[in-house]
Amino acid sequence: MSNATYELKAETRERVGKGSSRELRRNGLIPAVIYGDKQTPISIALSTKEVTRHIHAGGFMTTVATIDVNGEKIQVLPKDYQLDPVRDFTMHVDFLRVSKNSVVTVEVPVHFENEDKSAAIKNGGVLNIVRHTIELVVPANAIPEAITVDLSGLSKIGDGIHISDITLPENATLTIIDRDFTVATIAAPDVLTAEEEEGTPAGEAAGDAASEGNAE
């Protein structure tokens, strides 16, 4: 299941637009909108500190939250948030209104376990992660926190994990159904020469050797 739910307090915004949004941010608030469920979108303002705390806690995009809008409690799922490209603070958040019967599309993170039990990795293979997330369609009240991939069965270089090798959470379906896509592989390690391991480019080392030969 997804991370524990949480509640945010919000106030409605009478004015929208860039000027109004800048004023909100100066006052420690984030402009946001709640939409979906065939209802009129609601423009709101939230505490920057509270929203940022939940974003940094992890699982923000897969956790259903409650927003208290002037006393009305609305169940929502974050669908998008925008960061300032320079100062890296939250600029805006979009929330999807959900109910107990809602089905949503979410990007669920992939967690890998038992690397220490994989013979391929023990023999020098390197885990090459092809997909860090997998997009699923799931009930809003049953979003998995992560998809766990067991690496213990990978025994040789070139082995891989495909989506067909993974047991999906109950009631979850894939958005990609036309191919058995790769989630991770075991790649061969990069082999360095002795000179490269010491930080000397191979060409430079060869040149040095030739110079020493000419000197003799």
Side-chain angles (χ1 to χ4, degrees):
M1 290 292 293
S2 60
N3 294 329
T5 186
Y6 57 89
E7 183 171 314
L8 296 170
K9 287 191 175 295
E11 57 188 53
T12 55
R13 291 187 288 145
E14 299 300 328
R15 296 185 299 120
V16 296
K18 292 183 178 180
S20 174
S21 296
R22 283 195 294 266
E23 183 179 351
L24 286 173
R25 296 183 191 108
R26 284 195 297 268
N27 294 324
L29 298 173
I30 294 174
V33 64
I34 300 173
Y35 67 95
D37 202 26
K38 300 180 180 179
Q39 299 191 42
T40 302
I42 304 173
S43 296
I44 60 173
L46 298 161
S47 164
T48 300
K49 181 179 179 181
E50 284 299 304
V51 173
T52 302
R53 180 167 67 86
H54 287 293
I55 290 175
H56 289 167
F60 182 68
M61 301 296 288
T62 56
T63 301
V64 173
T66 299
I67 298 183
D68 183 338
V69 184
N70 301 332
E72 179 188 1
K73 297 195 175 185
I74 304 172
Q75 297 285 297
V76 299
L77 179 69
K79 291 302 291 182
D80 190 26
Y81 63 90
Q82 298 162 10
L83 299 177
D84 183 277
V86 178
R87 290 171 288 177
D88 197 36
F89 66 83
T90 310
M91 298 276 291
H92 189 275
V93 186
D94 291 340
F95 294 99
L96 176 68
R97 187 193 295 259
V98 298
S99 64
K100 63 180 180 180
N101 297 319
S102 295
V103 175
V104 295
T105 300
V106 292
E107 292 273 356
V108 178
V110 181
H111 291 174
F112 298 89
E113 64 179 12
N114 293 328
E115 286 190 48
D116 59 334
K117 297 180 181 178
S118 165
I121 294 177
K122 284 183 179 180
N123 291 329
V126 178
L127 177 63
N128 173 42
I129 300 174
V130 179
R131 289 182 178 267
H132 291 272
T133 63
I134 294 174
E135 191 173 66
L136 299 177
V137 178
V138 293
N141 62 357
I143 301 173
E145 184 174 351
I147 295 172
T148 301
V149 176
D150 185 359
L151 300 173
S152 60
L154 301 182
S155 59
K156 62 183 184 299
I157 303 297
D159 279 355
I161 296 284
H162 293 82
I163 191 60
S164 60
D165 300 317
I166 299 172
T167 301
L168 296 177
E170 186 177 1
N171 298 322
T173 58
L174 296 165
T175 58
I176 300 175
I177 59 175
D178 60 342
R179 62 187 184 279
D180 187 17
F181 58 84
T182 302
V183 177
T185 61
I186 301 298
D190 291 331
V191 178
L192 300 178
T193 65
E195 292 83 1
E196 288 173 330
E197 288 181 350
E198 293 174 0
T200 304
E204 183 180 324
D208 290 345
S211 297
E212 289 176 5
N214 292 334
E216 292 177 357

